Amino acid sequence: MATMDSFNCANDAALKVREEIKSTTRESQVLERNCDENELKKVTSPTTRGSLTGKSLGGWKFASLLLLNQGLATLAFFGVGVNLVLFLTRVLDQENANAANSVSKWTGTVYLCSLIGAFLSDSYWGRYLTCAVFQLVFVLGLGLLSLSSWLFLIKPSGCGDGVEDCLPTSSIGVAIFYLSIYLIAFGYGGHQPTIATFGADQFDESNPKEKKSKSAFFCYFYLALNVGSFFSNTVLVYYENRGEWTLGFLVSLGSAIIALVSFLFGTPKYRYVEPCGNPLPRVAQVFVAAGRKWKLAPAAADALYEVEGTESAIKGSRKILHSNEFLFMDKAATITQSDLYGPNDPWRLCTVTQVEEAKCVMKMLPIWLCTIIYSVVFTQMASLFVEQGDVMNSDFGNFHLPAASMSAFDICSVLVCTGIYRQVLIPLAGRLSGTPKGLSELQRMGIGLIIGMLAMLAAGITEVERLRHVVPNEKVSSLSIFWQIPQYVLVGASEVFMYVGQLEFFNGQAPDGIKSFGSSLCMASISLGNYVSSLLVNMVMGITARGHKPGWIPDDLNTGHMDRFYFLIAVLTAFDFVIYLFCAKWYKCISLDETAKETVQIMEQGGGDHDDQVLSKV
């Protein structure tokens, strides 16, 4: 009891100190309104539009430049990635298994580099500088790739077309090649989450119209990605398959250069958000401080420690209001006598905003983990769907359709479904639900999971039919490859709900200090989806290929049961959906302190006549 009394006394004393600080803060607010415009920016929300300077910053005009940048950068990236496995086998003379492993490692590197870009963006460089630097690395990688293929690898000219073999490559050429493709992976991976967040920064959340535009931006961002990849998967694939590798790489290089120039063109008019410092120590401080006070009961919400005024203790970040999840973490913001009278130590006492930032990471992780199984579904398009199509009848008159080109139906599905989603579904769902957004991000992600499950069922049914039409002693089934259209179309439709929903959800729910980290979670999900898919294949083959059995996914697919593997993924997706429902129901959205935003809006209305209004808002 004596201990509890001392804590209560400490908290009472802390509250008195806070009231004194609040009184001083109110007296200083009138003086702050007479500061110049640069000083005013210091007390505004980090997402407040630059209207205080009288200029029109950001908005759709300059966000459109970022959409163009995204489309061109994606065209350049997939101009290399979509046919990389064929380049390794045809030009570098690698075995199929080795080439597949090389591509898997490279793809995993691309998506893991997104975490590096997000960290630098949030902590030190800011979004603009991070985008510029990683795009320069991207252009450098593409330049080296074009140069190495021209000078060292494509000998004689036109080789690597599946008919004419290339001459043995030099060790210098191979070394430059691998250096170039990993520079491409590093540049594109670091650029992706940052450009998405930087685009969202161009819209002011305090303006209802622009807040709606910010939601639409993520939809168009994913649309731009698919438009760029569509050109790579059709036109560039055609020329590269004919042995014109250097031409394909040069087109990718030109596209990346134009993307960089378009990005730099908007420099004077972009809206910028300052980096908020390294978030890792901030999160660690919360757990260390809570651990040091493990035996204490957390204080009531109104007695927790928080700095006064409109600014957060985290540079460039808005305050976050207290939430009731993970209450044990509130111990980090509980004030003790040693905190009150001792030196200010963030490893012993954290602000509510700092604690809530750590809570936001903890709350988003279960949702993120549920998206990994969907990424397993998405990964099948680049692996088993292609292998399945390769043993189907792909002749269209005198034209032979490459199995990888079927992904064009996925891209077309994304383009069509995006239009339907924006123009039909959102207005309809809005009228039915009474909310402008129609469907929440979590609802959209759940729909994406369901459609992804249906895609796996469609793929399984197609495989059942393919096996029924197998011609004895023939590798290729007589079933037309166009039977794959439903599974590609369903995957494309699911992407519109799942990946657009992910981008909007993780960006919107991430605190200001880790916005790019939120956007990178989407790419990290795809990366882990690749690894989980490979692990699942190995486990299935290890179980089903015992003895003299060929297993579900043998080299000769006509002797296997790939349909069962598709149905297994569908079952796993259904199970994941059930878990996701519980996580989504449990999740509580982030609640930001809008005081600073409202203060700025009143100040923008002008003059000293609004002094009382400003003080009342503060």
Side-chain angles (χ1 to χ4, degrees):
M1 290 296 293
T3 303
M4 291 300 297
D5 289 339
S6 66
F7 290 152
N8 291 333
C9 290
N11 285 333
D12 290 338
L15 289 174
K16 292 179 181 178
V17 172
R18 291 174 65 187
E19 288 300 322
E20 293 175 3
I21 296 174
K22 183 182 294 185
S23 175
T24 304
T25 303
R26 285 177 174 172
E27 293 174 0
S28 65
Q29 289 298 318
V30 176
L31 296 177
E32 286 192 37
R33 277 195 307 280
N34 295 324
C35 295
D36 59 21
E37 292 172 349
N38 291 331
E39 289 299 312
L40 282 173
K41 289 181 182 179
K42 295 180 182 179
V43 298
T44 61
S45 160
T47 56
T48 299
R49 196 177 182 183
S51 54
L52 293 176
T53 62
K55 299 178 181 178
S56 177
L57 303 180
W60 271 117
K61 181 178 180 180
F62 295 95
S64 298
L65 284 177
L66 302 179
L67 293 177
L68 176 64
N69 174 271
Q70 167 69 1
L72 291 172
T74 303
L75 187 158
F77 172 75
F78 281 102
V80 175
V82 73
N83 252 355
L84 184 58
V85 68
L86 292 183
F87 187 90
L88 293 175
T89 55
R90 293 180 183 180
V91 178
L92 299 188
D93 197 30
Q94 290 189 8
E95 298 291 334
N96 286 334
N98 292 333
N101 286 333
S102 296
V103 173
S104 295
K105 293 175 183 177
W106 182 77
T107 305
T109 302
V110 172
Y111 294 122
L112 288 179
C113 284
S114 67
L115 296 175
I116 299 175
F119 174 78
L120 292 173
S121 170
D122 289 334
S123 304
Y124 303 110
W125 292 357
R127 328 261 208 250
Y128 175 83
L129 182 58
T130 303
C131 286
V133 170
F134 277 96
Q135 284 190 81
L136 284 172
V137 174
F138 185 47
V139 169
L140 176 61
L142 287 167
L144 281 177
L145 178 62
S146 302
L147 189 65
S148 65
S149 65
W150 176 46
L151 294 179
F152 302 104
L153 304 179
I154 309 299
K155 301 291 182 181
S157 178
C159 69
D161 59 352
V163 177
E164 183 178 6
D165 295 330
C166 294
L167 296 176
T169 55
S170 65
S171 57
I172 296 177
V174 174
I176 296 176
F177 168 77
Y178 277 106
L179 174 63
S180 64
I181 63 171
Y182 276 93
L183 283 174
I184 292 170
F186 185 65
Y188 184 78
H191 161 263
Q192 276 300 284
T194 311
I195 196 71
T197 309
F198 189 54
D201 288 343
Q202 305 311 306
F203 303 99
D204 181 12
E205 288 186 346
S206 66
N207 185 319
K209 184 178 180 180
E210 290 202 16
K211 187 174 183 180
K212 185 177 180 181
S213 296
K214 180 179 178 179
S215 177
F217 173 81
F218 289 108
C219 195
Y220 293 125
F221 181 83
Y222 198 73
L223 181 65
L225 184 151
N226 280 273
V227 170
S229 64
F230 180 79
F231 183 86
S232 301
N233 281 273
T234 52
V235 179
L236 287 188
V237 163
Y238 174 76
Y239 284 101
E240 290 173 355
N241 280 340
R242 291 177 54 187
E244 300 184 36
W245 295 98
T246 303
L247 174 62
F249 297 153
L250 285 173
V251 171
S252 293
L253 173 61
S255 179
I257 292 174
I258 297 173
L260 178 58
V261 171
S262 68
F263 174 78
L264 296 176
F265 181 78
T267 299
K269 292 288 188 176
Y270 288 137
R271 294 181 65 251
Y272 298 94
V273 175
E274 293 183 0
C276 298
N278 190 345
L280 298 180
R282 295 200 302 267
V283 174
Q285 286 167 355
V286 172
F287 287 98
V288 171
R292 287 179 168 178
K293 302 174 182 177
W294 189 254
K295 295 182 179 180
L296 300 182
D302 58 353
L304 296 174
Y305 173 65
E306 180 61 281
V307 297
E308 296 298 329
T310 58
E311 287 189 278
S312 163
I314 302 173
K315 182 183 69 172
S317 177
R318 286 169 291 182
K319 287 184 177 179
I320 309 174
L321 300 180
H322 178 263
S323 65
N324 293 321
E325 291 77 37
F326 301 110
L327 290 177
F328 70 92
M329 297 174 69
D330 288 347
K331 298 176 181 181
T334 299
I335 305 171
T336 64
Q337 283 185 328
S338 59
D339 296 327
L340 186 62
Y341 300 111
N344 185 16
D345 184 3
W347 293 95
R348 297 193 64 89
L349 181 64
C350 305
T351 65
V352 171
T353 295
Q354 188 176 347
V355 172
E356 290 302 317
E357 183 182 59
K359 284 185 181 182
C360 285
V361 175
M362 297 288 289
K363 289 192 294 183
M364 287 191 297
L365 282 179
I367 300 294
W368 176 71
L369 289 173
C370 289
T371 66
I372 295 175
I373 288 296
Y374 173 79
S375 293
V376 173
V377 173
F378 179 75
T379 300
Q380 306 313 310
M381 276 201 311
S383 55
L384 293 187
F385 281 17
V386 177
E387 292 187 19
Q388 183 186 43
D390 194 46
V391 289
M392 298 177 73
N393 181 13
S394 58
D395 292 329
F396 188 65
N398 295 325
F399 179 74
H400 178 76
L401 182 68
S405 296
M406 290 296 291
S407 61
F409 288 99
D410 163 75
I411 298 170
C412 290
S413 174
V414 170
L415 301 180
V416 172
C417 290
T418 299
I420 295 175
Y421 173 78
R422 293 294 310 168
Q423 303 300 325
V424 178
L425 186 58
I426 287 183
L428 179 61
R431 286 195 294 269
L432 294 177
S433 63
T435 59
K437 295 177 69 173
L439 298 173
S440 69
E441 295 90 346
L442 291 173
Q443 289 172 332
R444 280 181 271 160
M445 291 162 66
I447 293 173
L449 275 173
I450 295 175
I451 301 177
M453 179 188 65
L454 296 178
M456 287 296 98
L457 292 175
I461 293 171
T462 297
E463 181 64 11
V464 170
E465 288 298 315
R466 190 194 69 80
L467 291 173
R468 288 178 181 174
H469 290 78
V470 169
V471 179
N473 301 321
E474 292 287 339
K475 176 185 176 182
V476 177
S477 170
S478 62
L479 189 69
S480 171
I481 195 174
F482 293 110
W483 270 68
Q484 284 191 313
I485 291 178
Q487 63 203 57
Y488 278 102
V489 169
L490 286 170
V491 170
S494 68
E495 289 176 58
V496 174
F497 287 93
M498 173 56 79
Y499 283 137
V500 175
Q502 274 193 69
L503 280 171
E504 190 174 339
F505 174 77
F506 289 123
N507 183 275
Q509 294 302 306
D512 294 322
I514 53 173
K515 285 288 185 185
S516 294
F517 168 77
S519 297
S520 71
L521 288 177
C522 183
M523 296 188 71
S525 171
I526 298 175
S527 177
L528 287 179
N530 277 277
Y531 295 135
V532 171
S533 179
S534 298
L535 178 64
L536 195 58
V537 169
N538 291 334
M539 290 177 59
V540 165
M541 288 302 294
I543 295 173
T544 61
R546 293 176 179 175
H548 299 288
K549 297 180 180 179
W552 286 2
I553 315 173
D555 291 336
D556 183 3
L557 293 179
N558 293 336
T559 63
H561 281 287
M562 193 161 59
D563 53 322
R564 297 177 183 176
F565 184 74
Y566 287 141
F567 292 141
L568 172 63
I569 297 178
V571 171
L572 292 176
T573 307
F575 181 70
D576 180 61
F577 176 72
V578 174
I579 298 176
Y580 174 81
L581 287 179
F582 285 102
C583 293
K585 185 177 181 180
W586 166 80
Y587 185 84
K588 297 295 185 296
C589 293
I590 185 174
S591 181
L592 296 169
D593 187 350
E594 302 295 340
T595 303
K597 194 179 297 182
E598 294 174 0
T599 302
V600 171
Q601 289 174 341
I602 294 175
M603 292 164 73
E604 288 177 359
Q605 295 173 4
D609 294 338
H610 298 280
D611 287 352
D612 294 337
Q613 295 183 51
V614 174
L615 292 177
S616 66
K617 291 294 183 181
V618 174

